[in-house]
Amino acid sequence: MKPSGVDWLGDVPEHWEVKPLWTHFRRTKRTGFEEEPLLSVYRDHGVVPKASREDNFNKPSDDLSVYQLVCPGDLAINKMKAWQGSVAISDYRGIVSPAYFVYEATHSANSRFLHYLMRSVRYITGYLSLSKGIRVNQWDLEPQLHSRMPLMLPPPAEQTAIAAFLDRETGKIDALVAEQRRLMELLKEKRQAVISHAVTRGLNPKAKLKPSGIEWLGDVPEHWEVKPLKYAIKLTSGGTPSKDNLAYWDGDVPWASSKDLKVNELFDTQDHISQLALDEGAADLVPAGTILTVVRGMILLHTFPVVLTRVPMAINQDLKAITPKAGIDAVYLAWLLRGASGEVLSRTDEAAHGTKVLRLEAWLSMEIPVPPLAEQTAIVAHLEQELAKFDTLTAEAQRAIDLVQERRTALISAAVTGQIDVLGVAA
C-alpha cells in the first residue's frame, strides 16, 4: 500500500494509479430531449427509470425541455444528496432533473468498476467533505472541488475482475434481500387479513352470519349492527398557526401533520407550537385517545393512516380528528378503519399536482360493522396479541436485511480500495 495523499481516501495499493476525476469525466448539460424517459438517482439503487419505483413521489416539472440527457456510461449525481450516496454511472438513456450534475465519460476504464468505486463508503465520505451549505439537507456538491476528486485505478484486468467479483457477490446478497422483502410483504398481507377478519367477522367462528348488504363488508355476525360511519363518529378539523408569528412556533405543544402518521400510537410530533398559539385561538387541542387520519396528501396514494393519540395535541388542516360516539371503543374503531383501508382509498379523488383528497361525504356514508362494546374490547385484545407475532417476524426479517446490506457495503469498499485480493479470490 502507499499513501494516496487524501485523508478520506487513505492508503491505496502500490501498483494502482490515482488520477483526478476530470481525466475520466467531463461535465455536460444536454437539454431539449423531453421525449426521453425520466430517470432518478437513488442512494440504494443507482440510476433507475423513475417509472420503475413506486416510492418516488417527486413531481417532474411541466417543462421537460430543460431536463438533462443521460447516456449509458455517464456519471449522474444528485448534487444535494451526493453526501448520502446518490451518485451512479448510468446503464440507461433518459433525462434527469436540471438540478443534477451529469458527466460524460471520456475514459476507457471499466464503467462497472467506477460505478462501485464512486458509490463506496470512502467516496461518500469524500462527497461529504466537498459539499457545502447552511443546512445539512441543502448541502451542495462543489463542482470545481469535485472535478479534482482522486480516482483509484487498478490495471484494466484488475478493474474487470473486481467488477465481475462484485456483480456476482452483490447479486447473491441482493437475492437474499429480495427474499426477505417478499417475506415482509407476505407478513403484511397476512397481517391485514387478520385485522379485516377480526373487525368484520368477530372472534367466534360459529357465530350466525347475516348479509350486510355492503359489497366490501359481506356477511357479518347476526347480532352486530351496521350503520354509516357518520353516525358513529364526530370529526374535528385542524389548522396551521401563522408562520409569520414566530411566537406561535417551537414551543412544547405537539402539532401533528401527515408526516407524523407512521405509527399506530402517537406520543409526540416532529413539529411543535406554543401555548400562546392555543391561548390566542390560532390552534386547538384534541384530547389523548383521539383517532387521527389524513384527508389530503401524497400519503393517501398508497395507504390510509390511522393513528391513536396518546397525549393532547393540535393538528394541521390535512388531518381530521375522529372522536367515537357512545358505544364505540376508540381503539376498536382505529383497527376497523385500518381493516377497511382499501374501501376508504376507493373514496378518494386526485386534486391539483396529483394530491389525493378523501371525499368526506362518500367516506362518511361508508357502512361499518359495530359489535357490542364488550366484543369490541375482546377484538382489540385479540388483535394486539396476534399482531405482535407478525411484528416480531417482520422485525427479524428487517434485521436480516440490515446485516446483509452492511456486509454488501463492506465488501464493495474492501474490493474497490484494494483491501482484498480479488484476483486471488477468483483464482
Side-chain angles (χ1 to χ4, degrees), residues 193-238:
V194 168
I195 295 171
S196 297
H197 187 274
V199 298
T200 59
R201 295 290 187 276
L203 305 180
N204 181 5
K206 297 181 180 179
K208 290 186 178 180
L209 302 178
K210 65 180 180 183
S212 68
I214 310 301
E215 184 178 352
W216 78 269
L217 194 51
D219 295 342
V220 297
E222 210 171 50
H223 62 290
W224 286 20
E225 187 180 359
V226 177
K227 61 183 177 183
L229 178 64
K230 61 185 173 183
Y231 295 131
I233 65 170
K234 174 188 173 184
L235 285 182
T236 305
S237 299

Side-chain angles (χ1 to χ4, degrees), residues 47-84:
V47 177
V48 297
K50 185 176 185 296
S52 69
R53 303 293 307 177
E54 294 183 351
D55 55 355
N56 189 337
F57 303 133
N58 294 328
K59 287 293 178 181
S61 167
D62 293 332
D63 181 13
L64 295 180
S65 66
V66 297
Y67 276 50
Q68 303 176 81
L69 179 68
V70 172
C71 298
D74 285 356
L75 173 64
I77 301 177
N78 182 337
K79 63 176 184 174
M80 294 182 69
K81 293 185 177 179
W83 61 276
Q84 294 179 334

Side-chain angles (χ1 to χ4, degrees), residues 276-334:
L276 180 66
L278 299 178
D279 294 341
E280 296 189 355
D284 295 305
L285 285 181
V286 298
T290 300
I291 299 170
L292 300 184
T293 193
V294 64
V295 292
R296 178 175 58 210
M298 297 302 291
I299 196 170
L300 266 173
L301 278 170
H302 299 288
T303 185
F304 177 65
V306 179
V307 173
L308 195 67
T309 66
R310 288 306 189 187
V311 295
M313 61 183 62
I315 63 175
N316 84 345
Q317 63 276 5
D318 292 335
L319 307 185
K320 291 288 185 183
I322 302 170
T323 307
K325 294 184 177 177
I328 298 181
D329 180 84
V331 184
Y332 166 79
L333 181 60

